[in-house]
Structure formats: structure tokens, C-alpha cells
Amino acid sequence: MLCLLQVKHMLADYFLQTRSMLEGRGRYLHWGTFLHAGIHALGSLIAFSLVGASLAFVVPAVLAEWAIHFHIDWWKGRHTSDQNLTPADAGYWRASGIDQALHQLTYIGMIWVWLLSQTGG
């Protein structure tokens, strides 16, 4: 499951992300960030469906992921914008590392809840 989410993450972040999704991320109600987080949620829906997860798990899980992903990316966009950070700055890469770690921890949490739902725990 983690491998499926890793591949989904790579595709959504590095292959399916457009310029309009990246620009203006520091604004809270940014349409591109809404859409980008939605692509992640759709990818997770597909990944969990491939392993037979129930809709009772998948729907709330991907809605939660959408909201969490949106806020992580918004934080990173706002932080890097407020600090005038670019890829030439170490602070930009620290923010990117925090962003990616939080996304990965989200996947671990999603898998943990899914496994608990499978065992009745």
C-alpha cells in the first residue's frame, strides 16, 4: 500500500502538477492548490480501491487527505513566500523537506487507520 501511495505521490507532485497549481500558493484560497490536493486525493482513492478498501474507509480518508495536503502545501507556499525563499536558499529546501515528510506521515496514518479498520481495531 505504501508503494502505491509513493508512486501516486510522485505522479501527482512531479508529473501532474501545473504552473497554475504552483503559482500563488501562499494565498489561502488558491484554486491551484485546491486542484493539486484533489489530484492527490483522487490518486489515493484509486490506490486504496486497487487493494479492495471499502468506500466507508476510502471516502473519509481521501477527504481528510485532501484537507491535510492542501494545508501542508499552503503552509509551505506561505512560508517560502513570506521569507522570499527560492531554490537557491537552504531554507527553501528545509521547507520542502518538512512538506514532503508531512505528506509521507499522512500516508502512514492513512495506512494505519486502514489496517485497523481491517482488523476491527
Side-chain angles (χ1 to χ4, degrees), residues 96-114:
S96 292
I98 292 167
D99 167 272
Q100 291 300 305
L102 290 172
H103 293 315
Q104 298 309 312
L105 290 170
T106 302
Y107 299 143
I108 290 169
M110 291 169 72
I111 293 168
W112 180 52
V113 172
W114 174 61

Side-chain angles (χ1 to χ4, degrees), residues 12 42 66 86:
L42 177 62
W66 177 87
T86 70

Side-chain angles (χ1 to χ4, degrees), residues 35-62:
L35 182 58
H36 172 68
I39 289 170
H40 274 280
L42 177 62
S44 292
L45 183 145
I46 293 167
F48 276 104
S49 295
L50 287 173
V51 297
S54 71
L55 279 179
F57 165 79
V58 171
V59 171
V62 300

